[in-house]
Amino acid sequence: MRSGTLEEALRLLARLLDAQGKLNLRRSVRRCHLRERQKGGFAVGPTRRGKRTKIVALAAGNSLPLAVSVQSASPAECQLVEEVLAGSFLDELPARMIGDKAYDSDRLDLRHKKEYGIEMMAPNRRNGGKTQDRRKLRRYKKSWKVERLFAWMHSFRRLVTRWEFHIENFLGFVQLACIHMLLRRL
């Protein structure tokens, strides 16, 4: 330790002590600059509950992750599907994908059928047209398996709140959690 640093610490301590030798906390708090900081970094987007980052995942039938991506929370989920498919852990993509009502888009269905050969299944929104075959949506009843994947991810405290400034570090922790889940289930 440098002697200059020790002397500075002793001077600071002497300023915080009052005449009786007791620590004066009012003086120390008054001199501090206490204010909240805005969240920063890449892929932090505004939501109704503050600034957030979305973890978008593709899960198998046994709730194991097949693909994962980390994006800003502001765009709609149907716009983030390509990034998830690009982050796939597998060489071959699945033949069918089941999504919730946010993925109900005819253009999205046609684009994934043409480019990737993936059949998208999502229930129609309340004001949307009836373009889905109801027989195919029987698989939607098992969509709780995707929610179970996110429950498993939230058992890792590092993923519940994003503390990293750089999105690459946060994505690394998400991928590490996915690897841990895959190895645990083998």
Side-chain angles (χ1 to χ4, degrees), residues 11 35 40 95 100 141 160 162 167:
R11 275 194 300 251
R35 72 172 208 205
D100 56 2
K141 292 179 182 177
V160 176
R162 178 183 165 191
I167 191 67

Side-chain angles (χ1 to χ4, degrees), residues 54-57 76-81 84 97-106 108-109 112 120-123 125 132:
K54 261 185 208 175
I55 300 173
V56 186
E77 291 181 15
C78 62
Q79 298 173 355
L80 305 175
V81 178
V84 175
M97 281 179 34
I98 302 171
D100 56 2
K101 290 183 180 182
Y103 295 96
D104 181 31
S105 169
D106 292 334
L108 182 69
D109 294 343
H112 284 118
M120 287 287 297
M121 290 177 275
R125 285 181 245 151
Q132 291 284 348

